[in-house]
Amino acid sequence: MGEEGGKPAAVVAVVTEPRFTQRYREYLEKEKLLDRRHRVEKMPDGSVALPVLGEALPERHLRELSECVAPGSTCTLTRLLDPVPSKKAQGCSPAQRLCLEVRRWVESRGVTWAAELEADLPRSWQRHGDLLLLSEDCFQAKQWKILEPELWKIVTSALGVQRLARRGRVSPDGTRTPAVTLLRGDDGWVEHVDNGIRYKFDITKCMFSSGNITEKLRVASLPCSGQVLVDLYAGIGYFTLPFLVHAGAALVHACEWNPHAVVALKKNLEINGVADRCQIHFGDNRKLKLSNIADRVNLGLIPSSEEGWPIACQVLRKDAGGILHIHQNVESFPGRNLQPSGNSEMEKEHWPSPQQIISNQWESGTTRDSRKKVLSAAIKPEWHRWAEYAETRIVTLLHQVHGKPWKTQILHIQPVKSYAPHVDHIVLDLECRPCPLVG
């Protein structure tokens, strides 16, 4: 993700009289201390400020300037709070600017610049306000270690931020804790705004996927006025908040077992003014005591939310049923038998045969063959097959949980994003209704 707009960070500058500007510039250039990203500025008192690299100018350079380079000159340091970019910097991409500044600084430290170092610089990143999140595959060369932590000051200055973090792999601990290291700054709390909804979270402890924005926008447009919803994997409120703020849900039961996410969720409910319409259930949702209350259930966990399907069936209203929004990563490998991604315990006999599919039909006589138009928007046949498997599995669970037959219908299959090569994150909207009693 490319750099977004933001106020540039303050830069250090050395101040002297106008008549000494050229001498100062030549010395700073020779010593590789001149900050070429920003313009030399005229101060209100008529003096001139020359931006320099780093957080300060060593005392020996100040003495050299005032005693040898320009004897008798005034030589002081200041901070330019709103530095003006130079013409050269304005013509550079953020990645080019970063390379230029890091290379100049590295060479000033006596380290030889090499192609290995340049290839190890980041080309893209995520920006959250004044915090920049780098990917895990940059700054891996061993040469960087001897340059820390000053290196991170140069990176933040070059990219106009105050804080810096680097992403690692998501921990396989069930709570999807991100392995993010804070490289510069006091804390990892950031704020992100999607569709007018504010999300605050600690980036070192909570997941946030900007790639889910299309699904959050779709959820926000659903007709949920007056409805009760259960969000089985609420996180910091990715989908809980759109359901409350825009879709008009009367009440959301938000389930989450990551304590750091719960802290953020409580904060986000408050700052968006919907805390009075949400009840948080902290802990393992498989032990949830709720039942017979939901008009909708959101199952926003990937690669698979299948462990939550029995609870989703349990919380649906017995009298009227409702709609399940089921997230899943589906593999699409040509020539390979489809298996749901992320569920190693899936047995082949769970996959429905054509006869099983036809047996699970609406009482009105509408078979699945005649419902193919509903699925026409979904391009890949693997999505269709997984949706049909999920429908068959859910109707069995509904019968087991409620002790009577139910009918189901695939309303929609929504692609969210490509999660990996040949793996797609999709959402199935499945309508579930109890069959009317005969006699």
Side-chain angles (χ1 to χ4, degrees):
M1 183 181 300
E3 183 186 49
E4 300 172 9
K7 186 176 179 180
V11 301
V12 176
V14 60
V15 180
T16 191
E17 294 89 347
R19 66 181 183 274
F20 299 122
T21 301
Q22 187 58 31
R23 297 188 202 177
Y24 272 48
R25 182 196 294 274
E26 291 173 354
Y27 174 83
L28 294 172
E29 286 179 339
K30 183 183 70 173
E31 297 294 325
K32 298 179 181 179
L33 295 170
L34 186 67
D35 182 353
R36 299 173 186 272
R37 296 169 301 129
H38 301 101
R39 295 183 183 180
V40 173
E41 293 189 31
K42 188 172 184 178
M43 306 298 285
D45 63 358
S47 59
V48 174
L50 295 90
V52 295
L53 297 173
E55 291 294 303
L57 198 64
E59 184 65 30
R60 67 180 181 85
H61 290 298
L62 294 175
R63 286 198 305 270
E64 187 78 11
L65 285 166
S66 61
E67 297 175 6
C68 301
V69 175
S73 63
T74 300
C75 185
T76 60
L77 289 179
T78 189
R79 294 182 72 85
L80 301 176
L81 300 181
D82 193 16
V84 179
S86 65
K87 290 182 179 180
K88 184 175 182 179
Q90 289 174 344
C92 292
S93 70
Q96 290 171 329
R97 187 167 68 247
L98 176 65
C99 181
L100 179 70
E101 297 306 325
V102 170
R103 177 174 181 171
R104 182 178 294 120
W105 179 78
V106 166
E107 291 178 336
S108 74
R109 295 291 299 271
V111 177
T112 301
W113 187 255
E116 176 191 4
L117 294 179
E118 186 162 338
D120 202 28
L121 293 175
R123 297 292 185 269
S124 62
W125 42 78
Q126 290 183 10
R127 183 163 181 167
H128 300 272
D130 71 342
L131 185 147
L132 204 73
L133 180 61
L134 303 174
S135 61
E136 61 183 305
D137 59 354
C138 63
F139 292 112
Q140 296 297 306
K142 62 182 180 181
Q143 294 95 316
W144 300 120
K145 294 297 181 183
I146 63 173
L147 299 170
E148 298 175 8
E150 292 83 0
L151 169 65
W152 310 131
K153 296 179 183 179
I154 300 302
V155 174
T156 54
S157 177
L159 296 176
V161 294
Q162 300 294 328
R163 296 178 294 163
L164 189 68
R166 182 167 54 200
R167 181 169 37 211
R169 296 192 180 276
V170 176
S171 302
D173 57 2
T175 61
R176 290 180 63 77
T177 304
V180 173
T181 302
L182 194 64
L183 303 174
R184 180 166 169 78
D186 295 327
D187 65 74
W189 278 90
V190 298
E191 179 171 339
H192 193 86
V193 180
D194 271 347
N195 195 24
I197 297 174
R198 296 170 62 192
Y199 297 88
K200 287 189 174 183
F201 58 100
D202 186 339
I203 206 165
T204 67
K205 294 182 171 62
C206 300
M207 288 286 296
F208 186 87
S209 176
S210 57
N212 290 341
I213 181 61
T214 55
E215 179 62 10
K216 283 187 278 191
L217 291 172
R218 190 179 77 93
V219 159
S221 68
L222 294 175
C224 300
S225 179
Q227 294 184 351
V228 174
L229 184 132
V230 174
D231 190 352
L232 285 179
Y233 307 96
I236 66 170
Y238 313 103
F239 299 109
T240 293
L241 289 167
F243 275 118
L244 288 168
V245 175
H246 295 308
L251 176 66
V252 173
H253 292 274
C255 307
E256 179 54 46
W257 68 357
N258 181 342
H260 304 293
V262 169
V263 171
L265 175 59
K266 290 178 179 179
K267 187 185 297 286
N268 293 331
L269 291 167
E270 290 289 346
I271 63 177
N272 286 284
V274 291
D276 59 328
R277 290 158 48 212
C278 184
Q279 183 175 347
I280 297 174
H281 301 268
F282 174 59
D284 189 338
N285 62 25
R286 291 169 295 186
K287 301 176 182 178
L288 192 64
K289 301 300 182 183
L290 296 177
S291 62
N292 187 30
I293 57 166
D295 299 291
R296 293 178 188 265
V297 183
N298 193 65
L299 298 103
L301 179 68
I302 55 173
S304 176
S305 62
E306 189 161 357
E307 286 192 354
W309 293 4
I311 294 298
C313 294
Q314 172 186 303
V315 299
L316 280 177
R317 289 175 52 183
K318 292 182 179 180
D319 60 339
I323 297 173
L324 305 181
H325 303 284
I326 309 172
H327 292 237
Q328 178 79 19
N329 281 356
V330 177
E331 294 183 353
S332 303
F333 290 99
R336 183 180 300 182
N337 290 332
L338 174 68
Q339 294 289 338
S341 175
N343 193 345
S344 59
E345 298 179 359
M346 188 73 61
E347 297 182 2
K348 289 182 179 179
E349 57 264 28
H350 285 168
W351 285 91
S353 66
Q355 290 75 20
Q356 289 173 316
I357 292 172
I358 293 172
S359 70
N360 180 28
Q361 56 183 283
W362 289 91
E363 291 186 352
S364 63
T366 304
T367 66
R368 201 164 303 195
D369 287 339
S370 66
R371 286 190 270 133
K372 286 183 179 178
K373 291 181 180 179
V374 177
L375 302 175
S376 60
I379 299 171
K380 299 183 180 180
E382 291 88 353
W383 301 354
H384 295 235
R385 284 195 59 196
W386 174 80
E388 289 169 344
Y389 158 74
E391 182 179 19
T392 300
R393 179 70 178 134
I394 291 292
V395 82
T396 301
L397 288 170
L398 286 166
H399 196 174
Q400 292 173 351
V401 170
H402 296 287
K404 60 181 180 180
W406 283 56
K407 55 187 179 181
T408 57
Q409 183 178 22
I410 296 173
L411 298 179
H412 182 68
I413 297 176
Q414 177 68 35
V416 178
K417 63 179 180 295
S418 177
Y419 191 79
H422 305 291
V423 179
D424 298 303
H425 175 185
I426 65 172
V427 181
L428 166 65
D429 292 349
L430 184 66
E431 186 174 16
C432 307
R433 305 294 179 191
C435 294
L437 295 176
V438 179

